[in-house]
Amino acid sequence: DAKTTQPPSMDCAEGRAANLPCNHSTISGNEYVYWYRQIHSQGPQYIIHGLKNNETNEMASLIITEDRKSSTLILPHATLRDTAVYYCIVRVSGYALNFGKGTSLLVTP
Amino acid sequence: GAGVSQTPSNKVTEKGKYVELRCDPISGHTALYWYRQSLGQGPEFLIYFQGTGAADDSGLPNDRFFAVRPEGSVSTLKIQRTERGDSAMYLCASSLAGGIQETQYFGPGTRLLVL
């Protein structure tokens, strides 16, 4: 699977949009970009995934650049409960998610 | 509907003992995965089951670790002769099938502490 690079930590004010970047410059054409998050002491929670097109669901939006070498996860109105570690994962095989270290997002009041 | 469940939520054992960790996947999910997460790190893959068989056990660290899924549903991760370095969060996930677009849904984990 392609390697991903994420900032180790980010802050965001409550109510503002949180934009979490991810670089995956070695991604290949059939690799999906997945985002999970992990709130302290809980299991990872699936957020969203995409291949080429931008995606949106009730939790977040995923913006993938045209060359697919980077993506951004957007939480449109961050709340304190969004404080978590966010993992960007590029996936080609059917299993074995490679989580890396992720971005620790702190949402402040 | 019910998500992935794991029992126990916490397990404390002594070095050298045997432990079993249980995972109940989402009903109907044929694929099941085990991961291990050390403090401050992301989860690391251990083993993947498709149905009853282990399709990939390349992540198991050594032969003290073993997992089974005899009826294609519940899975048990077994650790023999536990060591202090085995202390970690053990996470189970399941997906409808094993394909690349199949989202893995995780349980709450079992926190294992080996004294």
Side-chain angles (χ1 to χ4, degrees):
Chain A
D1 294 347
K3 179 179 169 59
T4 62
T5 303
Q6 299 178 254
S9 64
M10 293 182 63
D11 292 347
C12 177
E14 189 178 19
R16 305 296 291 267
N19 297 284
L20 293 94
C22 179
N23 285 324
H24 31 78
S25 58
T26 60
I27 194 169
S28 61
N30 59 345
E31 291 182 311
Y32 283 78
V33 179
Y34 274 75
W35 284 83
Y36 280 78
R37 73 179 182 184
Q38 189 171 25
I39 296 169
H40 183 60
S41 295
Q42 297 182 20
Q45 178 188 22
Y46 165 76
I47 301 174
I48 199 167
H49 75 280
L51 181 62
K52 295 180 181 179
N53 300 321
N54 298 337
E55 302 287 345
T56 296
N57 62 21
E58 65 279 3
M59 288 184 68
S61 295
L62 174 60
I63 308 299
I64 302 174
T65 58
E66 192 169 343
D67 63 8
R68 304 212 319 123
K69 294 187 176 184
S70 66
S71 60
T72 301
L73 179 74
I74 301 173
L75 308 178
H77 306 287
T79 71
L80 299 179
R81 289 176 295 181
D82 292 322
T83 291
V85 178
Y86 287 77
Y87 296 98
C88 170
I89 302 165
V90 171
R91 187 179 179 193
V92 63
S93 65
Y95 47 89
L97 296 176
N98 183 2
F99 279 83
K101 293 194 174 182
T103 295
S104 179
L105 175 69
L106 175 64
V107 180
T108 56
Chain B
V4 177
S5 61
Q6 293 186 244
T7 54
S9 53
N10 293 280
K11 176 72 177 177
V12 181
T13 190
E14 294 178 344
K15 180 175 179 291
K17 299 288 189 183
Y18 168 83
V19 297
E20 289 189 352
L21 311 179
R22 177 187 167 106
C23 173
D24 281 84
I26 294 171
S27 178
H29 281 195
T30 63
L32 184 144
Y33 317 79
W34 283 98
Y35 291 79
R36 179 169 74 170
Q37 184 173 24
S38 300
L39 205 59
Q41 306 294 318
E44 296 178 331
F45 169 78
L46 295 177
I47 187 169
Y48 155 58
F49 285 90
Q50 182 57 54
T52 60
D56 182 354
D57 63 359
S58 62
L60 294 178
N62 51 60
D63 61 6
R64 295 187 297 105
F65 288 74
F66 188 73
V68 296
R69 194 186 185 200
E71 298 179 357
S73 178
V74 170
S75 175
T76 304
L77 179 66
K78 308 181 180 192
I79 310 174
Q80 298 177 320
R81 304 182 305 280
T82 52
E83 300 177 356
R84 292 193 180 89
D86 299 335
S87 296
M89 172 78 88
Y90 289 83
L91 294 159
C92 176
S94 71
S95 63
L96 193 58
I100 187 175
Q101 284 206 67
E102 296 295 337
T103 298
Q104 295 182 24
Y105 297 94
F106 283 79
T110 293
R111 190 172 297 281
L112 175 67
L113 177 61
V114 182
L115 300 176

